Amino acid sequence: GSGVERVYVGANDGMLHAFDATNGKEVFAYIPSMLIPKLSQFAVNPYTNHKYGVDGLLSIADLTRGTAKLKLLAGGMGAGAKGIFALDITNPAPDSETGAAGFAKWEITEASTGFGNLGHVYGAPQIVKLNDGTQVVLVPNGINSINGKASLFVVDALGGNRLAEIFADSSGPDNGLTAIAAADLNGDGKVDFVYGGDLKGNLWKFDFRGASYPAAATALFTPTPDTARPIMAAPAISAHPAGGVMVNFGTGKMLEAADLTSTTNEYLYGVRDSARVTRDTLAEPVLST
């Protein structure tokens, strides 16, 4: 590696900060361009109308460019903006402002070609290798997109261009794929399945085992109308002792003022990936003390 240690933190001052892990000093900061129009609003006094900045989750992975190794950081903007970005942090010790500026690999907004369904991405992008060897960033389209559909973007990790958009709920409205987990089931370092939930409480499965992208996602779990609650967090994936995959996930969100006082029941689910299941087919657990 580069021989240096860094801590990367997104902040609501509109910046992604890189700190030296040994002494806590800031090394550099990156401002996604989609936040530049907001920067002046942070100086308003008194500051009563909160503005979000780099509000999403981050992912870091090692990639290759030919024979060279590359370390990539990718992140969504959460409530800050409808956008995602990637930085090359292979050698995160810039010797000048110009050197630091070169870290920015690509940025994507809903105005970028092919990303019209991009919303606010809260879940961490997944940096993975497909079975044909392509290095990609998998991005859930997020919430409050213009059409309210739920889809998964496949983005070229090095160039930032859209390779595919795979739909889960293509009808909308008021939906969005929120957060995803990628699973490599045979240990070859390549993604086989991707699981993710949406705002309507469905749990989706994307099959990446083939040579081409899946045409669409399949619903692994569908709630009954009276129990439909948003899934905001990425599911947890583990091997089932009797074979197959166990997908554990929960419901609930804390994004709007009404969420603070909501008394609606939320749920935790454990679904074994085999045939499609609904809430009616799940075993009801019995808790004892």
Side-chain angles (χ1 to χ4, degrees), residues 58 152 232 259:
L58 308 174
L152 178 69
M232 285 300 300
D259 296 333

Side-chain angles (χ1 to χ4, degrees), residues 37 43 50 60 78 81 122 140 154 183 188 217 227 236 264 267-268 273:
H50 178 65
I60 296 175
Y122 287 86
V154 183
D188 64 355
T227 60
T264 303
Y267 303 92
L268 292 173
D273 182 6

Side-chain angles (χ1 to χ4, degrees), residues 130-134 154 163-164 166 191-192 206-216:
L130 302 183
N131 279 281
D132 65 359
T134 306
V154 183
L163 300 178
I166 307 166
V191 66
D192 295 310
F206 300 81
D207 188 346
F208 279 94
R209 293 174 298 173
S212 60
Y213 305 114

Side-chain angles (χ1 to χ4, degrees), residues 73-258:
L73 179 151
M77 300 298 297
K82 294 180 180 180
I84 53 178
F85 61 86
L87 303 182
D88 180 349
I89 56 170
T90 308
N91 296 300
D95 55 7
S96 66
E97 188 79 16
T98 302
F103 291 167
K105 292 295 293 180
W106 46 261
E107 294 180 341
I108 293 169
T109 71
E110 64 177 336
S112 301
T113 301
F115 288 92
N117 289 314
L118 186 66
H120 291 273
V121 179
Y122 287 86
Q126 299 295 298
I127 308 171
V128 300
K129 183 180 289 187
L130 302 183
N131 279 281
D132 65 359
T134 306
Q135 300 169 131
V136 301
V137 181
L138 301 177
V139 183
N141 77 308
I143 68 174
N144 293 334
S145 62
I146 190 170
N147 293 314
K149 300 179 180 181
S151 65
L152 178 69
F153 288 111
V154 183
V155 181
D156 172 40
L158 301 181
N161 56 300
R162 193 193 85 163
L163 300 178
E165 181 180 11
I166 307 166
F167 282 96
D169 175 10
S170 60
S171 60
D174 303 324
N175 204 359
L177 194 70
T178 54
I180 58 173
D184 170 18
L185 301 188
N186 57 9
D188 64 355
K190 300 174 182 177
V191 66
D192 295 310
F193 295 101
V194 173
Y195 300 89
D198 68 18
L199 283 178
K200 294 184 178 180
N202 303 295
L203 197 284
W204 300 94
K205 172 184 175 181
F206 300 81
D207 188 346
F208 279 94
R209 293 174 298 173
S212 60
Y213 305 114
T218 57
L220 184 63
F221 169 80
T222 302
T224 56
D226 61 320
T227 60
R229 300 291 299 144
I231 301 170
M232 285 300 300
I237 311 300
S238 60
H240 193 285
V245 175
M246 195 68 188
V247 184
N248 297 313
F249 58 98
T251 69
K253 67 180 175 68
M254 186 61 70
L255 298 177
E256 304 166 72

